[in-house]
Amino acid sequence: MLSAVPEPEREPSPRLLLGLLLVAALVPRLVVFPVNENLYGDAVVRTELAERWLKEPRLIRSFGDGAQQFGPLHLYMVGAVLKAVDREHAGRAVSLLFGVLSVVPLFALTRRYWGWRAGVWACLAFSAWGLHLQLSTTAASEAVALFFMLWVFALFAQALEENRFGPLFGAAMVLNLACALRYDAWMYVPLLAVMPLLWRKDKVAGVTMAVAFGLLCLPFPLWWMQGNELAHGDPLYPISYIDEFHRGWVASSGGGGKGLWMRVQGLGFWPAMALFTLTPGVALLGMAGMWKAWRERLELRWLVLAALIPAAYYTFRAAVLFNFVPLGRFTVTQVVLLLPFVALGAQACARAWGERARQVVAGGSIALAVVMPVTLGVSTFRADGRWRDALRPVSPTSTNPQPLMQAARWLKAEVTEKGKSLVLDSDDRYLDLQLGFFVGLPDERVVRMRWPEFRQRFEQAQPEFLVRFDGGALTREPSVKLEGRTLMLGDVLYVEQDGFSAPVHVYLRKQAQ
């Protein structure tokens, strides 16, 4: 009779599984790493700030102490890697490392609730996630911060399930690090702190865990707030700065029909990013699994709320308050939480329509998860145009406008490597930041329109070359006169050079000829 009882399935070695999953995440990222460039997510600014910190290493205490609006931890990381890796690749190497390592906490979180097979499928979907391919091969902080947030969720899940203080302490410590990376992690301090109070029979234990977790999450946020209070008179000065930037961005977008369209976009932005970047099959299975978990497993509702509440908050700001502009990279912490529910969604599909339907849906989802990011990456790679520019922020490939990179290569050879100097116009699309980064001039040999005291700096340096952007701020200067292919800056004449394409125009000072 015992022979009729099936033996329980043996799980493969977790180390072997994780090794294979790490390889699966690394391979597609290594494919795009050599061709991707720093573009979105403040990548070049973070690298330049890390370079300045490396010249004068110190403990950054506030916005004005060298971090600007960014969290200081990422600057330390990039600065440390700059000792061994060149400036164009240092921040990208940091993102690649943490981007690949993200499969470890994702697997642990998913395996805890649904088993190793579900963990494998979640990590494979993560490996093919086109938006994350871009984030983990550029120098912004999203890939690094996402690793820490997944680690927080994995430890927090362990603490709740095992009712243990050790993993709760670990989750709080890691959340401190996440708060030192990005400010959107701060909302998870109160959000996760209340979760032990919900749907638990032992209320005393729930209160104890909630209070302990909340207090343990406070060291970095309180220390950072004190530094900004002392330096700027506002403990939340960096967050206020970012909020003011978004309000100005919304105001400059105009009203009427355009404003209404922006509200509509904000209303559906998070679901749209899930469906487009995770691809429809994976996202819909994750949503179905999330709904099933909410209805049937009370102990998992905290994970559902960890995805939905921040998404609802940002949606309310974008669509109702109209003081926030959502970007694709802002959604990753919420979108990634669909992946642990994908296997559960597939089970729900089998129960509703049968095993054959589940196989068809799973096969279609796998095909879309591969074909969509590949097609998008190829379509936007070193190709400019209206729809390509609109899709590039969520594409696996991240490349700057080709006229800009052409000018950057020429200026690096003719200006940077020959010890000359440059006037750099400012551009509302931040093309000047991109160009300045890839040209690689030290601060003392570039006069940026974006910097204060532009005229004084120009008079002192008298740069040999000048870069102007279509619609840039330089031509709005009272001392600048543009006529055809010549530009007068004060009493200095610059002549436009051939071989460059709009919106970039390169000029040579006539006296230097």
Side-chain angles (χ1 to χ4, degrees), residues 61 66 107 279 495:
R61 299 177 182 274
F107 179 77
T279 67
V495 179

Side-chain angles (χ1 to χ4, degrees), residues 363-377:
S365 299
I366 293 171
L368 285 174
V370 175
V371 172
M372 281 186 63
V374 170
T375 303
L376 180 59

Side-chain angles (χ1 to χ4, degrees), residues 247-262:
R247 281 191 290 269
W249 191 354
V250 170
S252 66
S253 67
K258 188 174 182 180
L260 178 60
W261 174 236
M262 288 183 65

Side-chain angles (χ1 to χ4, degrees), residues 103-392:
V103 300
V104 177
L106 177 60
F107 179 77
L109 174 65
T110 310
R111 174 175 173 263
R112 173 169 298 279
Y113 290 128
W114 295 285
W116 68 272
R117 290 183 182 275
V120 168
W121 284 113
C123 291
L124 290 178
F126 178 86
S127 299
W129 186 12
L131 175 58
H132 193 268
L133 262 68
Q134 180 192 126
L135 299 179
S136 53
T137 53
T138 53
S141 65
E142 288 84 8
V144 183
L146 186 61
F147 165 79
F148 282 95
M149 288 307 304
L150 286 170
W151 193 5
V152 169
F153 297 141
L155 289 170
F156 195 77
Q158 182 182 0
L160 291 183
E161 185 175 354
E162 300 176 3
N163 201 27
R164 291 174 51 211
F165 182 76
L168 188 76
F169 175 83
M173 293 300 99
V174 177
L175 188 51
N176 273 274
L177 297 176
C179 289
L181 281 161
R182 292 186 61 85
Y183 296 108
D184 49 5
W186 287 40
M187 71 173 66
Y188 283 97
V189 174
L191 178 57
L192 293 183
V194 302
M195 293 305 172
L197 302 175
L198 306 177
W199 310 296
R200 292 179 66 91
K201 295 180 181 179
D202 190 342
K203 297 301 182 183
V204 174
V207 170
T208 302
M209 294 182 73
V211 173
F213 182 80
L215 292 175
L216 288 170
C217 288
L218 294 179
F220 174 78
L222 291 178
W223 177 81
W224 191 242
M225 289 167 66
Q226 181 195 36
N228 282 284
E229 171 67 28
L230 294 174
H232 306 288
D234 180 0
L236 298 176
Y237 183 80
I239 298 176
S240 301
Y241 178 91
I242 296 169
D243 286 346
E244 183 60 33
F245 173 81
H246 275 270
R247 281 191 290 269
W249 191 354
V250 170
S252 66
S253 67
K258 188 174 182 180
L260 178 60
W261 174 236
M262 288 183 65
R263 289 179 185 268
V264 173
Q265 284 182 309
L267 188 64
F269 194 80
W270 261 253
M273 285 300 102
L275 291 167
F276 189 76
T277 67
L278 282 183
T279 67
V282 173
L284 289 173
L285 286 175
M287 293 174 185
M290 190 174 279
W291 173 247
K292 181 178 175 62
W294 179 268
R295 294 180 61 188
E296 300 178 2
R297 298 183 62 175
L298 296 182
E299 76 276 14
L300 295 181
R301 288 188 175 182
W302 75 269
L303 190 58
V304 177
L305 292 176
L308 296 184
I309 290 179
Y313 165 74
Y314 287 121
T315 298
F316 180 75
R317 288 190 55 185
V320 180
L321 299 182
F322 203 44
N323 61 6
F324 176 76
V325 180
L327 299 173
R329 55 193 171 87
F330 292 167
T331 68
V332 292
T333 304
Q334 293 78 52
V335 169
V336 77
L337 290 181
L338 287 172
L339 297 180
F341 296 93
V342 167
L344 190 62
Q347 292 177 12
C349 177
R351 289 184 183 179
W353 299 304
E355 181 62 21
R356 179 60 180 169
R358 185 195 68 81
Q359 293 175 353
V360 172
V361 170
S365 299
I366 293 171
L368 285 174
V370 175
V371 172
M372 281 186 63
V374 170
T375 303
L376 180 59
V378 172
S379 300
T380 58
F381 177 66
R382 294 180 181 171
D384 303 321
R386 187 175 181 85
W387 69 267
R388 293 184 178 91
D389 294 341
L391 293 177
R392 187 170 286 110

